[in-house]
Amino acid sequence: MAAAVGAGLPVHEPRGSMVLDIGGGTSEVAVLSLNGVVYANSARIGGDRFDEAIMNYVRRNYGILIGEATSERIKIEIGSAYPGTQVRELSVKGRNLSEGVPRSFTLNSNEILEALQEPLQSIVSAVKQALEQTPPELGADVAERGIVLTGGGALLRDIDKLLTEETGLPVMVADDPLTCVARGGGRILELMDELGPGHFGLE
Amino acid sequence: MFKRLRGYFSTDLSIDLGTANTLIYVRDKGIVLNEPSVVAVQDEPTRGGKIIVAVGTEAKNMLGRTPGHITAVRPMKDGVIADFTYTEKMLQYFINKVHGNRTLKPSPRVLVCVPFGSTQVERRAIRESAEGAGARNVAHRE
């Protein structure tokens, strides 16, 4: 909800807005209308799971152990969610399991794409499930105006393309996706002073 | 009652307590803090416990690079609090950091964003963490 307000969606209107927030630990998909949540679902998949998938992939295919920080760097620099025209490469270092000595090796973006398939598919299926469960009138609004992505996961290259391909709906990444939730929360605090806490169904 | 008095000298905060990063938004000022949710703790047997050596970016650089007596932990896991004490300490540190007014201990009104699927137990943990960190009035929002 806060993410949607931060992304500047017209949540107070009687129209459906769909937002997908891919955070560090969880991904949440929600359909909102009239300042309320119509449907929401949370999957325990996020940036951490992407890092883990990369770590496992490198261990399986190269027999090399890398740390969390390295894995995160790989994701940020060459990770992508959809096959692109340009293949990027990155040289990283890790401990070779059979030799026990640190070694340097090169990864390319297609390999990372393959490594990320599993968590990405889970996110796609969460979105599809949400679309199935949305009441038809709101679903029509979503089809017209698309899905908005927020959270750090939205910064993964071409994740909007992947979702457009899978759902057939327009998908856009919010401005400054990392700070959407905090900014939205601030806006809600302001509105709460004007309209009273009941307006947002706050606890 | 005293908390309320202190509240007059504090500003409202909106906190995104995330697994990876914690962000704080202050009214009229925008995003004032954006740091990784990581705490580095050092064993202190003489004082019978643990002391915090670093929070945020500094602590993140320590992840996976710590000697035996220091541990760098991420107190949030899967969008919920995995380690209650450290989350509270981390929040306290962040809230103090964004508050310029130091003559009175800050006691702001706080809105914490929680994941949608979180249970009552998880929400309560976040509420208590925030209250322990000096918040006057804690609201939740998904």
Side-chain angles (χ1 to χ4, degrees), chain A:
Chain A
M1 169 87 198
V5 176
L9 290 177
V11 284
H12 58 278
E13 288 175 15
R15 299 179 76 179
S17 312
M18 188 181 233
V19 61
L20 169 64
D21 177 35
I22 307 173
T26 56
S27 290
E28 284 154 50
V29 54
V31 178
L32 308 150
S33 177
L34 291 169
N35 286 332
V37 178
V38 179
Y39 171 87
N41 190 14
S42 161
R44 306 232 144 160
I45 296 152
D48 288 348
R49 196 62 81 78
F50 292 161
D51 295 346
E52 231 171 78
I54 293 174
M55 262 157 75
N56 290 336
Y57 179 88
V58 171
R59 201 180 55 216
R60 247 195 342 261
N61 293 285
Y62 288 85
I64 290 173
L65 215 56
I66 54 172
E68 262 176 64
T70 308
S71 176
E72 192 181 1
R73 210 182 83 225
I74 297 171
K75 175 184 71 182
I76 293 168
E77 290 192 13
I78 62 169
S80 67
Y82 196 74
T85 45
Q86 192 192 352
V87 176
R88 279 174 304 272
E89 288 193 338
L90 181 72
S91 165
V92 285
K93 293 167 191 71
R95 177 159 59 90
N96 189 309
L97 281 170
S98 54
E99 296 172 42
V101 185
R103 287 264 178 266
S104 169
F105 62 106
T106 310
L107 283 166
N108 70 44
S109 51
N110 286 338
E111 291 172 296
I112 303 307
L113 174 67
E114 195 188 323
L116 294 179
Q117 275 316 304
E118 198 213 317
L120 285 173
Q121 281 311 317
S122 314
I123 290 179
V124 168
S125 63
V127 172
K128 283 186 175 167
Q129 200 190 343
L131 290 168
E132 274 168 31
Q133 306 270 333
T134 307
E137 209 56 58
L138 294 171
D141 293 341
V142 173
E144 191 182 310
R145 300 178 342 166
I147 306 168
V148 173
L149 296 182
T150 68
L155 295 171
L156 185 66
R157 237 167 252 110
D158 292 337
I159 193 159
D160 48 340
K161 270 195 201 157
L162 172 80
L163 287 164
T164 307
E165 159 100 7
E166 293 278 348
T167 60
L169 302 177
V171 177
M172 52 243 140
V173 177
D175 290 337
D176 204 356
L178 273 176
T179 60
C180 269
V181 172
R183 277 187 288 129
R187 180 87 192 106
I188 290 177
L189 271 177
E190 282 165 31
L191 290 172
M192 242 165 67
D193 282 346
E194 286 167 29
L195 306 162
H199 196 74
F200 284 96
L202 278 167
E203 285 174 41

Side-chain angles (χ1 to χ4, degrees), chain B residues 3 8 38 68 73-74 76 95 97 106 140:
Chain B
K3 256 193 167 178
Y8 286 114
V38 188
V73 287
R74 300 178 55 177
M76 306 284 296
I95 290 178
K97 195 172 171 184
H140 289 148

